Structure formats: structure tokens, C-alpha cells
Amino acid sequence: MNTVATQKTNNIQKRVLLIMSSENKIGISGKLTGTWFEEVATPYYKMVEAGFEVVFASPKGGLAPIDLLSMKPPFTTESTGRFAQDPVANFALANTIPLESVEYSQYDALFFPGGYGLLWDLASNSLVLKMIQDFARVDRPVAMVCHAPAILRDAKKDNGEPLVKGKELTGFKNAEDEEVELLQHLLFSLEDELKLRGAIYKSKQNWEPNVVIDGFLMTGQSPASAPPLADALIERLK
């Protein structure tokens, strides 16, 4: 039984479920995508070094694709270089747990790194939406960076209203998608869809670190927001 019934788990070691996309293409454009490497690598190391157990999951399980662009300069970081040489981290990435096999009620938080692939799978995954709704119900943290807040598009409150209605949040903005010339290839606009559902969308200049926290929901705007978002989640769980 996976229903999240209590506000906190009884885990002595905090457990974070890091959920990645299984999709490696941007729709019919043929452009390759996946999860943005820095948004996995730095949060992973920050959480592990804080003493947390971090478990990787994805819709299909197995190897979760990384966006090739994010593996090249100038987008690489100290953390991505470390991850690339880390056999334990690479084993986790190559052997993500299928979402349907995860006992998510046993985790203290959900962490969703960004990347374009998730618009095609996680955003329409009914189990992912149930996880988020269950965590929201008991105020257990859900952290999402870059494009990941797009997953909230179809999440609902118990009364049927959009989960994001009246919530302050952020995420990758239209102007950032336009700057990399990809907005026209996307399944939908994160910024537009969340605003339509009543979210109080807050952004800063393109690519600037920006973290917005409103109750259970912790969001970061762009890749540079991944480190401070991870720090905020660690502080929340401690």
C-alpha cells in the first residue's frame, strides 16, 4: 500500500526519491534530450553528503538518459565531472527503479531534476501525479527544478482544483526556452500552463538562480537553481 498516511516517515536516515525522465527525444523534432546533468549531479552529492539515502527512479526503469548538451562545456560543472567518474553514481543512473515498483510512502521527499524529456512522460504519468498529490496532502516536500514544475500541470487538490492554484512557484521561463530556440518544439509551455491554472509564477533574469518555496512545494527556475534548491531541501528535512 503506497498511500502517504502520515506527515513524516520514521526513517532515521532521510530518504529522497530522485525521479528522472525515461524520454530521450523532444517530440517529433528528433532532437535528443534527457535529464539535465547538473540538475542530477550537484543535488545528488549535496544530499548524499548530508547523510541522506538517494534512490533513482524513472517510468521505465533502467538507464535514464542524460541530455548530451549538458555533458559538454560550458554546461559541465565540478559535480558533473565527479559524477562521470563515479562508479556508484553511474550504477544508480544505469539501474533506476521502475516507478511502479517504488514504495514511495517510505520516502521523506521527492526530487525532480529538469530537462525536456519529462514533458513527454512524467508530466502525463498518473502515478507521478498521485505521488505528488499524496505528498502535498501531508505537507511532505516535493522539490522540482527547471522544467520539472511542468509535471504539476495536471495535479489536483482533493476538491478538484489545480494543485498549483494560489501557489507561489517558479520554473524554466518562456524567455529561456526562446533563447535556446526550443520553445516551438515543446509539447507545452510550463510558464503558460501553470499560470492558466492559477499559479503565482515568479521568475528572475534568464539563467539566474531562483528558488521559490510555498509549503510542501519547492521549485527552482533554471539549472543554476539546482544547488540552492538542494540546500533548501536538506535544511527542510533536517
Side-chain angles (χ1 to χ4, degrees):
M1 185 68 174
N2 241 323
T3 302
V4 178
T6 58
Q7 187 166 355
K8 296 179 180 179
T9 65
N10 294 318
N11 297 331
I12 295 172
Q13 180 188 32
K14 297 298 183 184
R15 305 182 75 207
V16 178
L17 187 64
L18 192 151
I19 301 176
M20 300 176 65
S21 172
S22 293
E23 183 58 58
N24 69 348
K25 289 187 179 67
I26 297 179
I28 60 172
S29 71
K31 293 178 181 291
L32 293 178
T33 188
T35 300
W36 198 257
F37 202 8
E38 160 64 1
E39 295 168 23
V40 176
T42 292
Y44 169 76
Y45 284 117
K46 281 181 173 288
M47 291 188 286
V48 167
E49 287 163 6
F52 298 173
E53 178 187 0
V54 180
V55 175
F56 288 63
S58 66
K60 294 180 180 178
L63 180 62
I66 295 291
D67 191 305
L68 296 179
L69 186 62
S70 70
M71 301 175 76
K72 302 174 183 177
F75 303 111
T76 51
T77 64
E78 182 180 341
S79 295
T80 60
R82 179 182 174 188
F83 197 108
Q85 301 299 319
D86 184 339
V88 174
N90 276 280
F91 183 86
L93 187 66
N95 295 276
T96 64
I97 301 172
L99 280 174
E100 62 184 18
S101 300
V102 175
E103 285 289 337
Y104 66 86
S105 63
Q106 304 303 307
Y107 289 84
D108 298 283
L110 304 177
F111 189 96
F112 292 88
Y116 288 101
L118 60 82
L119 296 173
W120 277 267
D121 61 0
L122 296 182
S124 57
N125 186 294
S126 59
L127 177 55
V128 169
L129 294 175
K130 184 177 187 307
M131 289 181 181
I132 293 169
Q133 290 165 182
D134 284 349
F135 270 58
R137 193 173 292 116
V138 295
D139 199 35
R140 202 178 292 181
V142 176
M144 318 178 92
V145 65
C146 204
H147 282 91
I151 299 166
L152 299 167
R153 177 189 62 171
D154 295 327
K156 304 286 187 185
K157 300 177 183 177
D158 287 338
N159 64 4
E161 290 183 341
L163 185 65
V164 298
K165 185 177 181 181
K167 279 280 184 192
E168 293 187 356
L169 52 75
T170 189
F172 210 63
K173 60 197 283 196
N174 287 345
E176 288 168 317
D177 280 323
E178 287 170 350
E179 191 172 323
V180 294
E181 300 181 338
L182 284 174
L183 186 61
Q184 72 273 23
H185 295 295
L186 302 186
L187 196 59
F188 63 92
S189 156
L190 175 161
E191 181 180 339
D192 292 351
E193 291 296 326
L194 296 187
K195 284 179 177 176
L196 279 171
R197 285 157 177 75
I200 303 166
Y201 177 83
K202 298 194 165 189
S203 66
K204 292 186 178 179
Q205 293 299 312
N206 287 9
W207 315 107
E208 277 191 22
N210 180 30
V211 172
V212 176
I213 298 172
D214 188 345
F216 79 95
L217 186 60
M218 312 176 76
T219 53
Q221 178 179 322
S222 55
S225 307
L229 179 63
D231 288 337
L233 179 60
I234 290 164
E235 186 63 31
R236 170 77 171 261
L237 291 180
K238 282 186 172 180

